[in-house]
Amino acid sequence: MPDKSDARNQEMPQGDMFSVIPIEVTVSVGKARPMIRDLLALGENAILPLDTRVEDPVELFVGGRLIARGELEELEGEDAGQLGVRLTEIIKQGGSF
């Protein structure tokens, strides 16, 4: 009896097959460079200052590679209170994927 999943894979064009695989995108909002003694002294409710401001662009990475920049936004509606990123720049890559 033939496996139905094999038939589905044969019918699905190559590009579509990869389009359904989830990928992790890391959003970098900034960096901190405290002295180790200051980091060890941090406790609950301490604030670690970053090198960016709230309105500064954030960077999006896939596999350690910068792919885009954007602005943080608070979502509305069903997702109110959740953060999102509005893309403002797509980084052109030297080669194709």
Side-chain angles (χ1 to χ4, degrees):
M1 180 171 197
D3 183 1
K4 291 182 182 179
S5 64
D6 288 341
R8 281 190 304 248
N9 288 341
Q10 290 172 357
E11 293 173 12
M12 186 180 294
Q14 189 71 15
D16 291 344
M17 191 165 61
F18 291 112
S19 68
V20 297
I21 298 172
I23 189 164
E24 184 171 297
V25 177
T26 301
V27 179
S28 175
V29 297
K31 295 179 183 163
R33 298 197 187 274
M35 296 290 186
I36 291 175
R37 68 173 174 262
D38 297 332
L39 187 60
L40 294 172
L42 292 176
E44 192 172 330
N45 294 319
I47 296 177
L48 182 64
L50 301 176
D51 63 353
T52 55
R53 305 186 66 76
V54 170
E55 63 274 0
D56 286 346
V58 296
E59 296 180 323
L60 288 79
F61 294 88
V62 171
R65 177 183 249 169
L66 179 65
I67 61 159
R69 289 189 180 88
E71 301 169 346
L72 290 178
E73 287 195 9
E74 186 174 343
L75 301 181
E76 298 176 356
E78 270 185 39
D79 298 320
Q82 185 175 345
L83 283 177
V85 178
R86 179 179 300 278
L87 299 182
T88 58
E89 178 185 0
I90 304 298
I91 306 301
K92 300 286 186 211
Q93 301 297 325
S96 60
F97 288 109

